Amino acid sequence: MYSGNRIYITLNRPSQWRRCLLHGLEISGNSIVPSEASGVCTMITGSIDSTEHDFRWEELTVDAEMCDNAIIKVSAYAANSAAVSLDGSSLELDGFLTDDTVSCEERLAAAGQLFKPIFRGCLDGPVDLCGRYIWIKLEFFMLDKRELRVNKIKLLLHSERMMDYLPEAYRAEDGENGFLSRYLSIFDSIFFEMDSRIEAMADQLDYRSAKGGMLRYLAQWLCIEDTAYLSEERLRERIGVAAEDNSGLGVKRNLISWIEREYGVTPNIIEYYSVDKLVHEGGDREVYRRLFGEDPYRFFVLLPEKTFANTREAATFMRRLKSRIPAYTEAEVVVTRMGCILGKHTYLGVNSVLREYSPASADEKMRIFNDNFLGRAADEQ
């Protein structure tokens, strides 16, 4: 991988992970995840070839997602040949690491003597080893199985340094490990880390891959409400339909879709023009006038019973609804009951005839006559 004037070798594909020795870990998509509940998880990569004899490996970065109670220990082994001597036997290290005829524990114990610890407790650091080939060993110490995912391992092959811009006289006099070279390397790490983060900013702004605080930050850009109480998957769904929602803001069709998506019910929205003729000319105009009034800027949202679990949810719905309706309009929310009560909003309509109160039960095979009154409680008026 090429990034600016820095060239990396990157391990991030299943074909590369299958060359690794995995203990307590398994391949999941393009990443490595735990396969056991707790303990120590270990992986040793296959050989990484620089194609250059006595190549000096400088820097290693592990892209991993770990919980707070996990510790990582990184070791490495570099050599000019892929053949090694283990317990008096000469063998090819890559083949030995993937040899299923030998138990995983035996392979780890035999190969472990080759590796030199380079850093621990962090995800990047210097390597300072020489050899054409290098093998990386990662050990994860976990108290319990929580979030752990190894996404990629990056090895720096070539880097641009501030020292390279100095005249040859200064570089020759200072040498590779002189004071000036080591001093400028501090600024190299600061500058190139900042440069890499700026370069990766476009990926972080993609809501499909953003996570945690960045995802909630993107949701705030789009004025999505209650981001603190929504899961990441739910937030991605909200962001994905934000453009469509905003383009149809204040439209009846969009309002129905929003209620269906957020609350799982289909509302019945009654606007003034829908009942205008009935209010003024219908036989039940007095009933319609009591129900819907004569205000042309007022509409009604009829919702099924038990749409809201409590009054807090209902208050939240009213607050969100007000931000989605056209200017100078007023919305009245009515939670309809399953019974038919004269002069009130019901599922059966307002043209039912009331003759007497008679208890009744119904299913899909029963016929209900027009003279029946359906109610839930004896004290309903």
Side-chain angles (χ1 to χ4, degrees), residues 37-329:
S38 61
V40 180
C41 301
T42 307
M43 69 177 290
I44 299 178
T45 68
S47 60
I48 303 169
D49 188 0
S50 68
T51 72
E52 182 181 326
H53 215 62
D54 291 328
F55 180 80
R56 176 172 290 277
W57 301 92
E58 297 181 3
E59 182 182 311
L60 168 68
T61 302
V62 180
D63 182 354
E65 303 168 19
M66 300 190 304
C67 56
D68 294 337
N69 64 346
I71 299 175
I72 182 175
K73 178 182 177 182
V74 182
S75 307
Y77 166 67
N80 287 321
S81 171
V84 296
S85 177
L86 295 176
D87 298 329
S89 301
S90 180
L91 46 85
E92 199 263 333
L93 184 55
D94 283 341
F96 176 72
L97 293 176
T98 56
D99 186 1
D100 293 334
T101 61
V102 182
S103 70
C104 186
E105 290 77 8
E106 292 180 3
R107 282 178 281 162
L108 279 176
Q113 57 187 307
L114 300 173
F115 288 85
K116 170 188 174 184
I118 52 177
F119 59 86
R120 64 183 301 164
C122 57
L123 296 176
D124 61 344
V127 178
D128 196 24
L129 292 175
C130 291
R132 172 175 174 173
Y133 303 97
I134 191 171
W135 292 259
I136 306 300
K137 179 180 179 182
L138 305 181
E139 296 175 89
F140 299 94
F141 302 87
M142 300 181 295
L143 297 179
D144 58 308
K145 184 178 179 180
R146 293 192 181 179
E147 183 181 6
L148 172 60
R149 179 177 291 270
V150 180
N151 297 316
K152 65 179 70 171
I153 298 174
K154 294 169 54 179
L155 279 159
L156 181 65
L157 286 181
H158 170 74
S159 65
E160 181 185 27
R161 300 178 301 171
M162 292 186 180
M163 190 71 177
D164 297 335
Y165 290 95
L166 295 179
E168 177 65 27
Y170 292 97
R171 285 183 278 142
E173 181 178 348
D174 192 65
E176 280 290 328
N177 295 310
F179 171 77
L180 183 58
S181 177
R182 288 183 283 114
Y183 178 74
L184 291 180
S185 67
I186 299 174
F187 299 95
D188 288 341
S189 61
I190 296 173
F191 172 79
F192 288 114
E193 180 184 359
M194 185 185 303
D195 189 56
S196 299
R197 293 176 65 180
I198 293 173
E199 185 179 7
M201 182 59 68
D203 295 333
Q204 295 181 26
L205 295 177
D206 187 344
Y207 74 93
R208 294 167 296 183
S209 58
K211 298 179 181 179
M214 189 62 187
L215 180 62
R216 301 188 186 281
Y217 184 59
L218 294 177
Q220 291 177 2
W221 281 11
L222 300 175
C223 301
I224 294 177
E225 303 152 317
D226 304 322
T227 57
Y229 305 101
L230 298 176
S231 65
E232 292 190 357
E233 200 60 39
R234 192 79 178 103
L235 271 178
R236 290 191 180 95
E237 292 177 7
R238 286 267 193 94
I239 295 174
V241 298
E244 182 182 349
D245 274 357
N246 291 331
S247 65
L249 203 62
V251 178
K252 178 180 177 181
R253 180 181 65 255
N254 183 271
L255 189 59
I256 292 175
S257 299
W258 170 68
I259 296 175
E260 287 177 339
R261 185 173 63 250
E262 295 294 322
Y263 295 92
V265 298
T266 301
N268 186 10
I269 298 180
I270 309 297
E271 297 176 281
Y272 178 76
Y273 72 86
S274 303
V275 294
D276 181 35
K277 190 171 183 179
L278 295 173
V279 168
H280 293 94
E281 302 176 13
D284 296 318
R285 55 182 174 271
E286 289 300 325
V287 177
Y288 277 96
R289 188 175 288 111
R290 289 203 309 271
L291 290 176
F292 304 109
E294 296 183 84
D295 184 358
Y297 301 105
R298 189 180 189 190
F299 66 93
F300 295 79
V301 181
L302 275 62
L303 297 172
E305 194 173 20
K306 298 182 180 178
T307 300
F308 309 115
N310 48 50
T311 55
R312 178 181 172 274
E313 282 192 10
T316 301
F317 173 79
M318 288 299 300
R319 175 174 54 82
R320 298 177 66 186
L321 179 64
K322 288 179 181 178
S323 65
R324 292 177 172 269
I325 62 177
Y328 306 110
T329 61

Side-chain angles (χ1 to χ4, degrees), residues 337-352:
R337 292 187 175 185
M338 297 302 292
C340 176
I341 306 174
L342 187 65
K344 299 289 182 69
H345 293 274
T346 70
Y347 281 124
L348 302 181
V350 297
N351 58 348
S352 302

